[in-house]
């Protein structure tokens, strides 16, 4: 079951595709050539344990691949019980190095970097219990620290609450070139300035993933895709 994807760092015809697993089939980070449609599993475990349900993915400027791993597969009854905590990982495909860079989430979901790569953002969509009440609706920010040695992966420090989603369940997350933050929520796309102050909401209705194409912002909204032209331009990340 596929989820997040990005261009494979340094390649024009290849993507890194996250699959969430299905039953006993383990979740994985896959390398897929879009011309031949051949794929290879490059990562499917951490310390001998299967991932939960890898969700969103982004590349850092050093070509490491970062992804979130919430246990939604188990929540939604297509995966067995989780073997790992709900965490964020950074993976160096050249060396095979992998590291937990952030943990202690309810359900980590979206992940991205600021245009200067000095800050990472992670949304915690939370989960629902009882009367569909979200347990968390937070966007966290972290300082990105360069690796201590070649071939290793960067680290995250100074975890802090950047903002909270007014309508709950922040999902996919993107930035524009000026560092403003956009996240899909129950009301649409909530927008915050670089300091975390709310700028407003693009009222698409319930929105999961979002993407910029120049100054067009596209939102995946349940059974439809909506778009709006903005004065802002999306940040140029790999």
């Amino acid at each position: 079951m596929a989820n997040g994807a990005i261009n494979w760092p340094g390649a024009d015809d290849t993507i890194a595709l996250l699959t969430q697993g299905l039953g006993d089939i383990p979740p994985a980070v896959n390398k897929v050539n879009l011309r031949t449609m051949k794929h290879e599993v490059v990562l499917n475990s951490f310390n001998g344990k299967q991932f939960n349900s890898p969700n969103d993915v982004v590349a850092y400027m050093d070509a490491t691949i970062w992804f979130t791993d919430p246990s939604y597969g188990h929540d939604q009854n297509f995966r067995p019980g989780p073997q790992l905590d709900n965490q964020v990982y950074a993976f160096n495909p050249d060396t095979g190095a992998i590291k937990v860079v952030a943990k202690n989430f309810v359900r980590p979901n979206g992940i991205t970097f600021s245009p200067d790569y000095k800050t990472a953002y992670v949304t915690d969509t939370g989960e629902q219990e009882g009367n569909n009440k979200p347990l968390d609706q937070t966007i966290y920010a972290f300082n990105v620290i360069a690796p201590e040695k070649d071939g290793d992966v960067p680290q995250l420090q100074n975890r802090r609450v950047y903002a909270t989603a007014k309508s709950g369940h922040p999902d996919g997350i993107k930035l524009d070139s000026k560092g403003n933050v956009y996240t899909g929520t129950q009301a649409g796309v909530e927008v915050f300035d670089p300091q975390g102050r709310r700028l407003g909401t693009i009222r698409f209705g319930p929105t999961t993933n979002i993407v910029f194409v120049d100054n067009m912002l596209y939102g995946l909204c349940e059974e439809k895709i909506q778009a709006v032209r903005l004065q802002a331009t999306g940040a140029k990340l790999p």
Side-chain angles (χ1 to χ4, degrees):
M1 186 173 293
N3 204 317
I6 54 169
N7 291 331
W8 190 270
D12 293 330
D13 59 358
T14 303
I15 62 172
L17 174 67
L18 301 184
T19 49
Q20 300 180 84
L22 184 64
D24 293 332
I25 300 173
V29 178
N30 304 270
K31 186 176 184 179
V32 182
N33 185 294
L34 298 179
R35 288 187 299 105
T36 65
M37 297 310 295
K38 290 183 178 180
H39 88 283
E40 95 181 82
V41 174
V42 296
L43 181 70
N44 64 5
S45 65
F46 178 71
N47 288 342
K49 297 180 179 180
Q50 292 185 9
F51 294 111
N52 298 319
S53 304
N55 190 289
D56 198 13
V57 59
V58 68
Y60 188 61
M61 62 181 178
D62 65 355
T64 52
I65 295 171
W66 297 52
F67 62 96
T68 59
D69 186 36
S71 55
Y72 280 126
H74 177 252
D75 298 342
Q76 298 168 11
N77 300 313
F78 64 84
R79 287 281 297 143
Q83 300 179 17
L84 296 165
D85 291 336
N86 291 269
Q87 302 177 141
V88 178
Y89 298 88
F91 170 59
N92 186 323
D94 293 330
T95 66
I98 181 171
K99 181 180 294 185
V100 175
V101 290
K103 53 186 179 180
N104 297 323
F105 296 97
V106 181
R107 296 291 184 272
N109 199 312
I111 183 170
T112 194
F113 294 106
S114 59
D116 61 7
Y117 290 94
K118 293 181 179 180
T119 305
Y121 299 90
V122 178
T123 64
D124 194 334
T125 305
E127 59 181 326
Q128 294 180 322
E129 287 185 350
N131 191 27
N132 292 331
K133 192 172 183 179
L135 297 181
D136 209 344
Q137 52 187 30
T138 306
I139 305 170
Y140 294 99
F142 302 80
N143 294 350
V144 184
I145 308 300
E148 297 179 355
K149 58 182 180 180
D150 292 341
D152 204 348
V153 297
Q155 301 181 54
L156 297 182
Q157 294 182 0
N158 188 26
R159 174 181 177 139
R160 56 204 182 270
V161 173
Y162 162 76
T164 57
K166 186 175 182 180
S167 62
H169 293 267
D171 199 309
I173 186 168
K174 293 291 184 286
L175 272 71
D176 66 26
S177 59
K178 295 183 179 180
N180 297 312
V181 174
Y182 301 69
T183 186
T185 67
Q186 292 296 291
V189 181
E190 295 188 31
V191 187
F192 305 86
D193 73 9
Q195 288 71 47
R197 294 175 297 224
R198 188 183 312 279
L199 297 178
T201 301
I202 301 169
R203 296 199 172 277
F204 282 163
T207 303
T208 54
N209 291 318
I210 56 177
V211 64
F212 269 103
V213 179
D214 295 325
N215 66 340
M216 291 291 294
L217 179 70
Y218 293 84
L220 276 63
C221 311
E222 300 298 337
E223 298 179 351
K224 56 187 175 182
I225 298 174
Q226 299 190 77
V228 61
R229 189 180 302 277
L230 304 175
Q231 293 183 344
T233 302
K236 302 296 184 181
L237 299 181

